[in-house]
Each structure stands twice: as C-alpha cells, then as structure tokens.
C-alpha cells in the first residue's frame, strides 16, 4: 500500500473521529445547559419571591391605608430599587384581579399579557394565598407570580 493511500485513510479517520468528538461535546454542553437551567430556576424563583413578598407587604400596607390599588405612588421607584439589588430581574409588574397590568417596569416578555389573564393565574389571585406560584416560562423569561 502506498503512503498516500494510508495518509488519506488516516486523515479521513481523524476527521470522522474529530467530528464525533465535537458532536458529543455539543450535545454534552446542551444537556448541561438544560440541567443547569432546571436547577437554577427554582433557586432564582425563591429569591425573587422573597423580594416579591417585600413589595407585597408594602402594597398591602398602602391599600390598608385606603390608597386605591391603581393609584399607588412610588411603585416604579421601588421597582428600580429591586433592579439595582437584583440585576437578574428583567421585568416587574403589578396586575389587578382581572389580569390588567397597572404598574410595570422594564420590557415585558412576549406573551405576558396572555399570562396575566390566564385562568390559572387569575385563580391563584382569587385564592389570595401569600404564596408564590410555580415558575413559569413566558416568552424567553421565567416568571414568578405572587398574589397581593
């Protein structure tokens, strides 16, 4: 057998092995990303729910002081403070029991209007449990809802 023939076989074999290894690395990276995202989402949700509980306490205190929910003052400023404290937060909103957003800050994710009006979320609001909902993916963001 000639050296050229063996060299061509060796190059083809090396190329095939390299392709298989690269594909395995890409698959591993994608799988690792999915697993990491699934593990991270509940931890971030707990952190966001904690911040949401503090906002909830302020809103409840204001409403108990006879300030109408739709006329709350300083909500956007508090949202700005939250953004400085938690840079991971990309959208914050307060919605009424019909799902109408009354106060919001930053860019809403795609599908947020439908999410706020979904029967599942409105049912959570009607029960008025001071417990955060499960993490939901809305558009390209994860959303944690907390009834007030």
């Amino acid at each position: 057998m000639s050296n050229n023939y063996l060299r061509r076989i060796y190059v083809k074999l090396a190329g095939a092995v390299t392709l298989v290894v690269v594909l395995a690395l890409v698959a591993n990276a994608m799988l690792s990303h999915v697993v990491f995202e699934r593990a991270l989402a509940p931890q971030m949700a707990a952190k966001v729910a904690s911040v949401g509980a503090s906002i909830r306490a302020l809103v409840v205190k204001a409403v108990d002081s006879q300030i109408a929910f739709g006329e709350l003052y300083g909500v956007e400023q508090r949202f700005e403070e939250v953004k400085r404290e938690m840079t991971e937060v990309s959208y914050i909103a307060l919605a009424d029991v019909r799902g109408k957003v009354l106060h919001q800050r930053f860019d809403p994710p795609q599908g947020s209007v439908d999410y706020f009006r979904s029967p599942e979320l409105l049912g959570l609001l009607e029960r008025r449990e001071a417990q955060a909902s499960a993490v939901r993916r809305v558009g390209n963001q994860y959303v944690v809802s907390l009834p007030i």
Side-chain angles (χ1 to χ4, degrees):
M1 294 196 163
S2 72
N3 284 339
N4 281 341
Y5 176 75
L6 290 175
R7 186 170 297 196
R8 281 190 313 210
I9 295 292
Y10 176 73
V11 169
K12 287 179 183 180
L13 184 60
V17 169
T18 302
L19 181 64
V20 168
V21 169
V22 167
L23 289 175
L25 288 172
V26 168
N28 184 29
M30 290 174 59
L31 184 61
S32 296
H33 178 73
V34 168
V35 169
F36 179 75
E37 194 173 81
R38 283 185 187 158
L40 184 64
Q43 293 176 2
M44 283 302 301
K47 188 175 178 182
V48 170
S50 173
V51 172
S54 71
I55 293 172
R56 179 185 190 280
L58 292 173
V59 171
V60 168
K61 186 176 182 179
V63 170
D64 286 346
S65 299
Q66 307 303 318
I67 299 173
F69 186 69
E71 298 172 7
L72 294 174
Y73 177 76
V75 175
E76 282 80 14
Q77 290 83 356
R78 178 62 182 128
F79 288 170
E80 285 291 338
E81 291 173 16
V82 168
K83 180 64 174 175
R84 273 181 284 183
E85 294 169 8
M86 286 185 61
T87 56
E88 303 92 349
V89 173
S90 58
Y91 177 67
I92 305 172
L94 284 177
D96 65 11
V97 294
R98 292 180 307 280
K100 180 183 176 194
V101 175
L102 302 175
H103 301 281
Q104 65 180 341
R105 198 73 177 129
F106 315 114
D107 297 327
Q110 283 185 327
S112 62
V113 172
D114 295 333
Y115 172 74
F116 287 128
R117 293 184 178 153
S118 68
E120 178 185 356
L121 183 62
L122 295 178
L124 177 70
L125 294 174
E126 287 175 5
R127 290 192 298 272
R128 296 193 188 267
E129 299 169 359
Q131 181 176 343
S133 70
V135 180
R136 297 279 184 257
R137 191 167 180 105
V138 177
N140 62 349
Q141 298 178 15
Y142 287 103
V143 175
V144 177
S145 300
L146 184 69
I148 297 181

